[in-house]
Amino acid sequence: MNHSVFRLTLPILFGYLPLGMAFGVLFATQLDYAWWVAPLMGVVIFAGAGQILAVSLLAANAGMVEVFVAMFVLNARHLFYGLSLLGQFRGAGWRKVYLIFGLTDETYSLLTSRPRGPDRAYEQTVDFRITAFNQGYWVIGCALGALLADNVAFNSTGIEFALVALFIVLTIEQLKALGDSFPVWLGAAAAGAAMIALPPAHQLIGAIAIVTAILLLHYRRIRGKQSSEGEVNRG
Amino acid sequence: MAETTYLAAFIAVAAIATFATRVIPFLFFERHTEHPLIQHLGRYLPAAVMALLATVFLQRSGTWSADLPGFDALIPGLLVVAVHLWRRNALLSIAAGTASYMVIQQTGVF
């Protein structure tokens, strides 16, 4: 099982190692704390954009309320991720807390896109290992970045595109699995609108709010149609 | 010492805020997984979120002030789509896109 989980999470490895290292380098060069605090943050927080934001909050000696609000708003898109995993995580027992803790953008992408068999307990074990592998890559990246700081020899400029490529591949896979392109156009259009109307810090949450609002309207329209058809059938 | 206390409190608060965003749906909607609205969101939301993440991060990877605006990200992005539709091998598609992006960024051809 570990071999197939490793294969499945390999794109995340290519994305998380350089991104984690970017965070580690930023942490070591901007702040005066011990190097191991960077991987420690990877262990207890486990959020890419969130941890990079945390470096600037730490540098500014931000107050605790500000830290809470900033981290919550930045990660607020995760509020919507859980909605599509309620059934999938049901009955996962002690693993469930960790599955929820580890729901980053990338873990969510893998867990909702991979093919699943009928054995729920087995699939939850796979989900658990995927999450743990991903966090492992992330923590190693944070540690390497903070340790090496600016002595990175290999020119890795641009390797973080692996995450963009992963999102593109997963969009295509979702499209093929669903057989309906409506949500893909909706997501792209919402992202376009948010990027025009909002500053970068609020674009993700803005786009997700637009997507959710339109899906709610879409739901009401479908339900409206179904209930009026139901009345016709009864009459 | 005050420094260490601040750092410990900071990490704890950041961790709680992040975990809160991930656990809230499980705390408040657990009993409603069969509700048609939850099923509707579960069906359409992942594809929409994936498309929006791809769009936002693709836009952020590009240099839009260049002579050919955004081509440094759009070409690798289109390569990912093409290779994936051709072979449908996720690792191959990602490797092709990432390698082409790295070459473009490091040589500055656009």
Side-chain angles (χ1 to χ4, degrees):
Chain A
M1 189 199 282
N2 281 334
H3 184 78
S4 63
V5 168
F6 179 68
R7 259 189 72 93
L8 207 60
T9 56
L10 205 50
I12 313 280
L13 170 71
F14 293 137
Y16 271 6
L17 271 188
L19 204 69
M21 286 177 72
F23 161 76
V25 169
L26 201 66
F27 182 90
T29 52
Q30 306 283 309
L31 303 168
D32 238 355
Y33 297 112
W35 70 269
W36 50 263
V37 175
L40 177 71
M41 287 171 76
V43 170
V44 300
I45 302 175
F46 191 26
Q51 283 179 227
I52 290 168
L53 175 74
V55 172
S56 49
L57 291 172
L58 271 173
N61 250 292
M64 290 305 140
V65 175
E66 195 185 339
V67 173
F68 186 91
V69 171
M71 295 295 281
F72 190 89
V73 171
L74 182 74
N75 290 316
R77 62 185 180 282
H78 297 144
L79 286 170
F80 302 100
Y81 291 179
L83 284 181
S84 48
L85 291 168
L86 288 172
Q88 192 170 318
F89 286 179
R90 178 173 282 175
W94 60 271
R95 292 194 183 91
K96 190 167 169 178
V97 176
Y98 182 68
L99 285 169
I100 294 171
F101 164 80
L103 267 186
T104 60
D105 295 333
E106 293 74 19
T107 306
Y108 172 77
S109 308
L110 279 189
L111 297 193
T112 53
S113 308
R114 69 185 192 84
R116 314 184 73 83
D119 183 350
R120 184 194 293 232
Y122 173 81
E123 296 300 343
Q124 284 170 345
T125 310
V126 177
D127 286 348
F128 183 84
R129 293 202 191 177
I130 288 174
T131 309
F133 272 60
N134 287 351
Q135 191 177 14
Y137 307 147
W138 176 250
V139 172
I140 292 168
C142 294
L144 283 178
L147 274 174
L148 301 174
D150 34 19
N151 301 323
V152 182
F154 164 66
N155 186 356
S156 58
T157 306
I159 201 166
E160 69 281 359
F161 192 80
L163 287 182
V164 183
L166 174 67
F167 289 139
I168 295 173
V169 164
L170 293 176
T171 303
I172 297 173
E173 288 300 321
Q174 291 275 354
L175 182 60
K176 289 194 183 239
L178 200 60
D180 181 353
S181 64
F182 162 70
V184 172
W185 295 120
L186 172 62
M195 288 189 296
I196 291 167
L198 298 169
H202 301 135
Q203 285 167 357
L204 281 182
I205 180 68
I208 288 169
I210 295 170
V211 159
T212 309
I214 293 183
L215 283 180
L216 289 178
L217 291 173
H218 181 228
Y219 170 77
R220 285 192 56 171
R221 244 190 72 200
I222 290 179
R223 295 283 287 177
K225 244 186 223 164
Q226 281 171 350
S227 60
S228 61
E229 276 166 13
E231 275 159 29
V232 170
N233 290 343
R234 273 195 300 276
Chain B
M1 190 61 217
E3 190 87 318
T4 311
T5 314
Y6 174 76
L7 182 64
F10 179 98
I11 293 176
V13 168
I16 292 166
T18 305
F19 184 66
T21 60
R22 294 174 185 167
V23 79
I24 282 173
F26 293 90
L27 296 179
F28 294 102
F29 297 101
E30 188 68 80
R31 289 158 186 275
H32 305 288
T33 46
E34 304 306 319
H35 189 283
L37 175 59
I38 299 294
Q39 301 239 321
H40 182 82
L41 289 177
R43 179 172 150 84
Y44 289 107
L45 202 56
V49 168
M50 229 54 72
L52 85 81
L53 287 173
T55 310
V56 168
F57 286 107
L58 186 66
Q59 189 267 342
R60 290 183 186 176
S61 306
T63 313
W64 298 87
S65 55
D67 291 340
L68 297 167
F71 273 48
D72 57 337
L74 289 176
I75 288 176
L78 286 174
L79 187 68
V80 174
V81 175
V83 172
H84 199 67
L85 291 178
W86 175 41
R87 299 298 292 270
R88 211 176 169 184
N89 176 334
L91 276 185
L92 181 69
S93 319
I94 290 163
T98 307
S100 69
Y101 183 78
M102 289 175 75
V103 169
I104 289 171
Q105 295 301 323
Q106 292 182 15
T107 58
V109 287
F110 288 109

